[in-house]
Amino acid sequence: MTIYLAGPWARKPEVRLAREEFQRAGFDVCADWIDWHGISEPTDAVLREEALHDLRQIHSADAFVVLNLELSEGKASEFMWAYSKHKPTVSVGPTTNIFHTLATHRVNTVEEAIDALHHQG
């Protein structure tokens, strides 16, 4: 199963650790943003292409996982894109957005998210 892993840009080191946990559990993780360092002054064109790339990856994934490590806009938008595409969604951690209450699974830890996805099919 391929998952898209979302989380706060400012907490990428923790998201990378979670990615490793999902990979060890047998999941393919598509989320290039985790390794993108960005550029000091991105143009609208660069940001637009990065946003479209993220949406394409979400669309190609079998499921969507959001790590709620802190409030951030990007992951909320990505969650709604996945939800609107009827993807199974997993919200990990405290709810940081009203729409996360719509998640297929709401769990507290990455380990619980892995278990929920394994039982998802």
Side-chain angles (χ1 to χ4, degrees):
M1 175 185 283
T2 299
I3 64 166
Y4 183 90
L5 183 58
W9 176 272
R11 306 278 291 270
K12 283 202 266 183
E14 291 159 275
V15 179
R16 286 186 188 111
L17 291 173
R19 175 179 58 188
E20 291 173 10
E21 288 185 64
F22 282 107
Q23 289 170 330
R24 279 193 303 271
F27 294 97
D28 292 321
V29 179
C30 65
D32 292 343
W33 73 270
I34 299 169
D35 297 314
W36 192 61
H37 299 290
I39 52 180
S40 59
E41 293 188 37
T43 63
D44 283 352
V46 168
L47 293 174
R48 182 177 190 281
E49 185 51 42
E50 288 302 315
L52 290 171
H53 181 73
D54 290 351
L55 295 179
R56 285 190 294 270
Q57 286 192 317
I58 294 166
H59 185 74
S60 71
D62 300 308
F64 177 91
V65 177
V66 59
L67 299 178
N68 291 311
L69 303 171
E70 66 181 55
L71 187 63
S72 62
E73 296 103 7
K75 64 183 175 51
S77 300
E78 291 169 332
F79 176 87
M80 284 311 297
W81 177 263
Y83 180 81
S84 73
K85 299 298 179 185
H86 307 286
K87 302 280 181 186
T89 52
V90 181
S91 178
V92 181
T95 300
T96 59
N97 182 290
I98 188 172
F99 293 104
H100 294 162
T101 63
L102 302 173
T104 309
H105 304 282
R106 293 172 64 197
V107 299
N108 294 313
T109 66
V110 170
E111 294 79 16
E112 291 174 351
I114 289 168
D115 186 54
L117 289 168
H118 275 141
H119 289 95
Q120 181 73 34

